[in-house]
């Protein structure tokens, strides 16, 4: 599981592990053990959000994991509804208090629009206001790096046009069957690292016959193929699970997908998210 020791370097020089643990849908009371299990297996990248309702538990897991704080890369996200400087300042401090940490390694604006208006109205000014709060937290050492999530090109450009600290990360829905190639390329051109959330498409791709056949050729599982795909795209991969066996399996991706198979995976369209389609990020907007 050499992937657990591999890192990217963000534009500000901060190192981030290539494989992380996503914690969406992990209950707050289950999060401490999930984090401790992940750290014991070798994970060093842990991702949460205000919206997940488990920052307290993730923070407890970090503090009780037995790993030194500077060995772990902890991310959280500013709630998508916060489009105001003062509210953002309070929420950033609130996350640190809730987690029991004096800093996080990465904080993102969770979405360019509130979830109730996802891909809807114009929140450019509100995003710039929230970004100023992140910049101030960055300069104060409360966050070691800053970024965005679910931001399309025009949303990123809005931040770049007025920022004093450029986003270092854009966390996006990226998986075999949904590869936003142009947006990933744009982020790369701006030295913004893409993180791939839901690299296994919330589990919906497990029954895809093309992926099953390709995985069989490599002697791996469909989740392993999907995680490896996002890693070979040059993104951070953030599969989410509270199951230690799945954590181990997700990290057993020391194989290489061929160029022709990578091209086939990039071209694949498979966006059936099952019951998860009710969530804005899976709605196709």
């Amino acid at each position: 599981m050499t992937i657990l020791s591999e890192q990217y370097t963000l534009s500000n020089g901060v190192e981030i592990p290539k494989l992380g643990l996503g914690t969406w849908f992990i209950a707050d009371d289950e999060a401490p053990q999930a984090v401790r299990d992940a750290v014991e297996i070798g994970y060093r990248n842990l991702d949460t959000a205000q919206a997940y309702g488990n920052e307290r538990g993730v923070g407890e897991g970090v503090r009780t994991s037995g790993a030194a704080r500077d060995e772990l890369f902890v991310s959280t996200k500013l709630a998508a509804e916060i489009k105001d400087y003062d509210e953002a300042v309070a929420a950033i401090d609130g996350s640190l208090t809730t987690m029991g940490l004096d800093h996080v390694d990465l904080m993102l604006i969770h979405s360019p629009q509130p979830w109730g208006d996802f891909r809807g109205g114009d929140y450019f000014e509100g995003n710039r206001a929230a970004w100023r709060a992140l910049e101030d937290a960055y300069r104060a050492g409360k966050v070691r790096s800053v970024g965005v999530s679910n931001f399309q090109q025009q949303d990123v450009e809005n931040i770049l046009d007025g920022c004093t600290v450029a986003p270092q990360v854009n966390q996006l829905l990226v998986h075999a069957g949904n590869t936003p190639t142009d947006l990933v390329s744009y982020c790369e051109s701006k030295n913004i690292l893409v993180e791939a959330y839901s690299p296994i498409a919330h589990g919906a791709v497990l029954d895809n016959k093309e992926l099953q056949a390709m995985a069989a050729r490599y002697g791996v599982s469909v989740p392993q193929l999907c995680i490896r795909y996002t890693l070979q795209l040059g993104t951070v991969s953030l599969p989410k699970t509270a199951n230690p066996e799945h954590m181990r399996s997700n990290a057993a991706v020391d194989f290489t997908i061929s160029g022709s198979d990578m091209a086939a995976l990039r071209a694949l369209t498979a966006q059936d998210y099952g019951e998860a389609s009710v969530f804005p990020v899976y709605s196709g907007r």
Side-chain angles (χ1 to χ4, degrees):
M1 297 192 292
T2 59
I3 192 63
L4 290 173
S5 62
E6 295 181 12
Q7 298 178 320
Y8 297 112
T9 301
L10 299 177
S11 60
N12 64 344
V14 170
E15 293 184 329
I16 178 172
K18 291 183 177 182
L19 182 66
L21 178 75
T23 63
W24 189 27
F25 278 111
I26 298 179
D28 192 50
D29 60 349
E30 297 174 357
Q33 191 58 50
V35 169
R36 286 190 291 264
D37 288 339
V39 171
E40 182 178 0
I41 289 165
Y43 284 78
R44 293 296 181 264
N45 183 346
L46 307 158
D47 180 84
T48 184
Q50 293 173 357
Y52 297 174
N54 61 13
E55 283 185 315
R56 186 212 61 82
V58 169
E60 179 185 330
V62 168
R63 289 182 280 105
T64 60
S65 67
R69 176 64 186 90
D70 62 4
E71 293 179 8
L72 302 179
F73 191 98
V74 182
S75 304
T76 193
K77 306 176 194 73
L78 188 66
E81 292 72 25
I82 296 175
K83 304 300 179 192
D84 172 87
Y85 176 84
D86 290 336
E87 289 183 24
V89 168
I92 293 165
D93 289 341
S95 280
L96 294 176
T97 299
T98 299
M99 299 182 81
L101 302 176
D102 63 4
H103 74 278
V104 292
D105 299 279
L106 173 64
M107 194 159 193
L108 313 172
I109 297 176
H110 206 159
S111 168
Q113 302 87 19
W115 295 124
D117 192 28
F118 188 62
R119 304 299 184 217
D122 179 353
Y123 297 90
F124 279 8
E125 183 53 44
N127 284 320
R128 287 193 291 266
W131 188 256
R132 287 195 296 273
L134 282 180
E135 290 177 322
D136 287 348
Y138 176 77
R139 283 188 281 264
K142 296 177 181 180
V143 298
R144 295 179 65 228
S145 47
V146 287
V148 294
S149 181
N150 297 299
F151 272 49
Q152 296 177 324
Q153 181 171 333
Q154 68 269 21
D155 303 309
V156 176
E157 289 173 344
N158 174 56
I159 299 297
L160 291 175
D161 286 346
C163 67
T164 57
V165 179
Q168 288 123 19
V169 167
N170 191 4
Q171 189 177 120
L172 300 170
L173 176 63
V174 180
H175 61 80
N178 183 78
T179 307
T181 303
D182 290 345
L183 182 54
V184 171
S185 295
Y186 169 77
C187 289
E188 289 175 349
S189 76
K190 299 298 182 181
N191 293 317
I192 298 171
L193 180 69
V194 172
E195 292 187 308
Y197 71 78
S198 297
I200 312 171
H202 211 69
V205 298
L206 297 178
D207 297 326
N208 184 281
K209 301 302 182 185
E210 293 176 73
L211 293 176
Q212 289 175 345
M214 188 181 293
R217 292 205 309 273
Y218 286 96
V220 299
S221 68
V222 171
Q224 288 168 332
L225 178 73
C226 290
I227 291 165
R228 184 67 204 178
Y229 169 67
T230 55
L231 291 166
Q232 284 187 218
L233 286 175
T235 71
V236 170
S237 192
L238 295 170
K240 53 185 179 288
T241 182
N243 184 317
E245 289 309 311
H246 291 172
M247 293 176 194
R248 291 187 182 90
S249 178
N250 289 346
V253 290
D254 295 334
F255 64 99
T256 301
I257 302 172
S258 71
S260 60
D261 283 340
M262 282 295 292
L265 292 172
R266 279 192 194 92
L268 182 68
T269 300
Q271 298 168 337
D272 175 9
Y273 302 106
E275 294 180 358
S277 296
V278 299
F279 292 99
V281 294
Y282 299 128
S283 66
R285 285 182 284 180

